[in-house]
Protein backbone atom coordinates (compact mmCIF):
# COMPACT_ATOMS: atom_id res chain seq x y z
CA UNK A 1 0.00 0.00 0.00
CA UNK A 2 1.23 3.46 -0.84
CA UNK A 3 2.42 5.41 2.23
CA UNK A 4 0.31 8.45 1.33
CA UNK A 5 -2.79 6.27 0.98
CA UNK A 6 -2.12 4.65 4.36
CA UNK A 7 -1.85 8.12 5.93
CA UNK A 8 -5.12 9.16 4.33
CA UNK A 9 -6.81 6.00 5.62
CA UNK A 10 -5.50 6.54 9.16
CA UNK A 11 -6.38 10.24 9.42
CA UNK A 12 -10.15 9.77 10.11
CA UNK A 13 -9.35 7.49 13.04
CA UNK A 14 -6.90 9.97 14.52
CA UNK A 15 -9.32 12.88 13.97
CA UNK A 16 -12.11 10.93 15.73
CA UNK A 17 -9.81 10.11 18.64
CA UNK A 18 -8.89 13.79 18.98
CA UNK A 19 -12.52 14.58 19.77
CA UNK A 20 -11.99 12.97 23.18
CA UNK A 21 -8.73 14.82 23.90
CA UNK A 22 -8.87 17.44 26.66
CA UNK A 23 -6.28 20.15 27.38
CA UNK A 24 -4.32 20.01 30.62
CA UNK A 25 -4.44 23.82 31.01
CA UNK A 26 -5.68 26.93 29.21
CA UNK A 27 -2.32 27.15 27.41
CA UNK A 28 -2.51 23.59 26.10
CA UNK A 29 -3.85 24.14 22.57
CA UNK A 30 -3.20 20.79 20.94
CA UNK A 31 -1.78 17.35 21.72
CA UNK A 32 1.77 18.28 20.66
CA UNK A 33 2.93 14.75 21.41
CA UNK A 34 1.45 13.74 18.06
CA UNK A 35 4.24 15.64 16.34
CA UNK A 36 6.91 14.01 18.51
CA UNK A 37 5.88 10.49 17.49
CA UNK A 38 7.09 9.73 13.95
CA UNK A 39 4.13 7.42 13.28
CA UNK A 40 1.52 10.11 13.94
CA UNK A 41 3.61 13.08 12.80
CA UNK A 42 3.48 11.73 9.24
CA UNK A 43 -0.32 11.99 9.34
CA UNK A 44 -0.42 15.69 10.17
CA UNK A 45 -0.15 17.84 7.08
CA UNK A 46 -0.31 21.64 7.45
CA UNK A 47 -4.03 21.52 6.57
CA UNK A 48 -4.70 18.79 9.12
CA UNK A 49 -2.71 20.69 11.73
CA UNK A 50 -5.00 23.69 11.20
CA UNK A 51 -7.97 21.36 11.51
CA UNK A 52 -6.65 20.06 14.85
CA UNK A 53 -6.17 23.60 16.12
CA UNK A 54 -9.71 24.57 15.11
CA UNK A 55 -11.38 21.64 16.90
CA UNK A 56 -13.56 22.45 19.89
CA UNK A 57 -12.12 21.48 23.25
CA UNK A 58 -13.94 20.20 26.36
Amino acid sequence: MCAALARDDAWPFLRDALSTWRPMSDDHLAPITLLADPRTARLITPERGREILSMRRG
Side-chain angles (χ1 to χ4, degrees), residues 13-42:
F13 295 103
L14 179 59
R15 184 180 51 226
D16 290 346
L18 285 169
S19 69
T20 64
W21 178 82
R22 298 295 178 255
M24 298 175 71
S25 71
D26 290 341
D27 296 328
H28 198 190
L29 300 177
I32 197 71
T33 317
L34 294 173
L35 296 174
D37 185 322
R39 294 167 296 184
T40 54
R42 290 188 298 253

Side-chain angles (χ1 to χ4, degrees), residues 38-58:
R39 294 167 296 184
T40 54
R42 290 188 298 253
L43 301 177
I44 303 171
T45 62
E47 180 180 295
R48 290 173 177 169
R50 286 188 292 277
E51 183 178 348
I52 291 170
L53 290 174
S54 69
M55 290 178 175
R56 292 185 51 108
R57 308 282 187 248

